[in-house]
Structure formats: C-alpha cells, structure tokens
Amino acid sequence: MAARADVWPELTAARLWPTMETLQLWAQIVGKTRLSQTPWLNHGWHVTLRVSARGLTTGLIPHGAVGFSMEFDFIAGALVIRVSDGGERRIVLKSGTVADFYAGVQDALTALGVACHIDLTPNEMAEATPFPLDEQFRTYDPEAARDYWRALVQVNRVFGLFRTGFLGKCSPIQLFWGAFDLAVTRFSGRRAPLHPGGVPNLPDAVTREAYSHEVSSAGFWPGDPGREPAFYAYAYPAPKGFEAAPVSPVAAHWDAGLGEFILPYAAVRAEDDPDAALCAFLETTYQAAADLAAWDREALECPRGTPRHPRWVG
C-alpha cells in the first residue's frame, strides 16, 4: 500500500499556505512552551515537534513534579494539553487571531497548574509581531491541515527507513517550528566552520550551535505563495562541486537561490513507487555530500534496518 500514490495526499501551496502560515505561528507558541521548560539539547533537538498518530506532539515536557504534553490533534481538530496528574484541556483549532490562540493556551496551562512564560516573538519569520499583539485574522482549514499531516505520516515513515542506514550521530525525525520543516540530519563527527548566522529573528548563537558540526540534512517543507511543497537536501559546509553532483530521481534539481537540492512533492506523489523515489533522493544527495567531503562512510554506514532483525555484528 505504501507504494501507491493514493496514500500520499495531493498538496498544493495555494491550498495549504493560509493554513500553514496559521499553524506555523501556533506551533511556535507550543514549541516555545517546550523550550521554556526543557534543558538545552544539542542542535535545538529539545524544542522540536514529532509526528504522532493524530498530528504533531511535543512529547512529555517537564514541569516540577509533573509533566505535560501538547498535541495538535488534526483528527479531533484541537490542541490537546494533558498533564501527568490527569488534567486535560482542549483548544479548538479554528480561524481567528494568533492573540486569541495564545491567550487560550496560556489560560489552559494556568488552569492545569503548568503555567509557562515564553519568548513572545516568532522566530525565522519576516513578520515578527509578538503573539499577544497579533490581531490579524488568520485562516485555518481543517481539511488542509489533515492532508498535510497525512503527508507527514508518509514522509516520517520513509525518513525513518533512511535513518536506519547510518551508525553515526543522526538526529531524530523532527519538525522545526521556526522554518516549519520536517527534517532528518546525519553528522560526519567533525567540527564545522563557524556559521555566519543571519537567520531572520533568530539569535546567531542558536544557528551556530545548530551547525557546530558537519551535516548532510534532508527534509520536507509545505511551501509558500511562491513555491510548491517540496523535499530538500543540503550539506553544511557544502563541499566543492556539491551543486553539480548527479542525484535522483530525474525531477530533483539544484536550486541556486536556496543553496540546496529540491525535489517537488508532486513529483514524488506521481511516481509509481513514491517511497523508492524519495529514498533515491535521500541516498543520492547524502552520498554526494559524504563523498565530496570525504566522510568515513565505511565506519558511519550500515544496511537499512528491517523489523525484528537486530543488526548483525560478527
């Protein structure tokens, strides 16, 4: 079933964008709540969201003697906040203002006994109106959100398979709410040059810590008014000749403006075997980065994992 295009929902930027912009701002409020309570973990891995069986979740957030989680439940159409003492609150996901959503989250956390103070300015967005002051009406289409999440379920599965073929340091499969992309990143183990920073509304110290070591990274992004949903792959630092490396499938190409390889989501969905097409993109872009940067591939790689079979060590 996973090889059939009908399990990969049709996604277009025109349909997704208004809802994705709204969801990105909401996700920043939720992600910053996790950030405020969680000790710093390398490369910002402590602030991300994960794909769940119903949407996107923070996982368990520590708060004194209790823990709580926040989950965008796209099936029920609510942000569900649960506390380990049994408390629960739901905030309906609907069109409205970011200010109202922020107030609803804060009221729910306070009522549950897990109030948190967060940084109020959105990150990595050109428009950085503080959440309590953002009174612009925002659109939320629950069907678009559900289709986006359905796509994430498939992407998460294929990224998970790709991740098993690497013995070195590798990130979880996680959604960064700053750029709003689902990503997986492999590391060579070597230090990288100091990143120049300059990401909009993001402290340079955060960017430099995130890119402290050499990476080959790939991800999925839902698009914007000027670009369709797509997969991407890049290396930092990009080795000489990376942009000219041969990659698969044929729809993949180098985007000089973005400085990364791009594979349109629609091209993957149109393939007879979308899983194989996406895996080819992940593998060939990684191989280009690893070969051109002289990674120790023999020490870092292993066969992909299969269910119920431990990796053979002779």
Side-chain angles (χ1 to χ4, degrees):
M1 182 184 70
R4 294 174 52 195
D6 58 4
V7 306
W8 294 77
E10 182 178 8
L11 302 179
T12 64
R15 178 172 176 243
L16 285 182
W17 171 244
T19 295
M20 293 300 100
E21 184 180 36
T22 303
L23 188 57
Q24 182 177 4
L25 288 163
W26 291 350
Q28 295 223 6
I29 294 169
V30 171
K32 285 172 179 280
T33 302
R34 186 181 183 199
L35 170 64
S36 74
Q37 302 298 301
T38 311
W40 197 277
L41 180 63
N42 52 202
H43 318 300
W45 295 353
H46 61 302
V47 306
T48 56
L49 304 180
R50 308 292 173 84
V51 180
S52 73
R54 298 185 70 92
L56 290 166
T57 181
T58 60
L60 191 64
I61 301 170
H63 194 283
V66 299
F68 68 99
S69 67
M70 307 175 75
E71 181 177 32
F72 287 102
D73 185 333
F74 296 125
I75 295 176
L79 175 68
V80 184
I81 306 173
R82 295 185 177 94
V83 185
S84 58
D85 62 9
E88 180 176 316
R89 290 290 188 280
R90 292 175 176 249
I91 299 169
V92 175
L93 303 179
K94 61 181 181 179
S95 299
T97 70
V98 171
D100 284 345
F101 182 82
Y102 169 78
V105 170
Q106 294 307 307
D107 288 347
L109 293 173
T110 298
L112 291 167
V114 290
C116 300
H117 297 286
I118 69 171
D119 174 69
L120 298 177
T121 304
N123 296 126
E124 300 184 58
M125 301 182 75
E127 180 182 330
T129 304
F131 305 124
L133 303 180
D134 191 342
E135 297 286 354
Q136 178 181 338
F137 183 83
R138 308 276 180 174
T139 298
Y140 181 77
D141 177 354
E143 291 295 330
R146 276 194 288 271
D147 280 349
Y148 163 69
W149 163 69
R150 287 176 54 218
L152 289 185
V153 171
Q154 302 306 320
V155 175
N156 189 83
R157 176 178 52 77
V158 178
F159 280 12
L161 177 61
F162 170 70
R163 189 176 185 271
T164 65
F166 198 73
L167 292 173
K169 177 180 174 181
C170 187
S171 76
I173 301 161
Q174 52 194 348
L175 187 134
F176 287 93
W177 36 262
F180 211 59
D181 57 328
L182 187 74
V184 60
T185 302
R186 292 177 170 184
F187 294 78
S188 73
R190 300 185 302 229
R191 286 294 300 268
L194 189 67
H195 195 283
V199 178
N201 295 304
L202 188 69
D204 287 347
V206 175
T207 309
R208 288 169 178 160
E209 195 276 340
Y211 290 101
S212 62
H213 289 69
E214 289 183 343
V215 303
S216 171
S217 187
F220 170 70
W221 179 66
D224 65 19
R227 290 173 289 185
E228 290 298 312
F231 299 96
Y232 66 79
Y234 67 88
Y236 181 79
K240 184 177 180 179
F242 182 56
E243 70 282 359
V247 299
S248 297
V250 294
H253 62 276
W254 178 258
D255 187 306
L258 296 174
E260 56 193 21
F261 286 103
I262 294 295
L263 174 62
Y265 172 87
V268 171
R269 184 175 182 270
E271 291 276 356
D272 291 337
D273 189 341
D275 290 18
L278 179 52
C279 279
F281 180 70
L282 299 173
E283 291 288 357
T284 58
T285 53
Y286 158 71
Q287 290 166 9
D291 287 342
L292 291 169
W295 287 25
D296 187 352
R297 292 185 57 188
E298 183 177 355
L300 291 171
E301 298 172 19
C302 64
R304 289 181 189 167
T306 56
R308 297 167 58 183
H309 293 279
R311 183 175 63 87
W312 173 254
V313 178

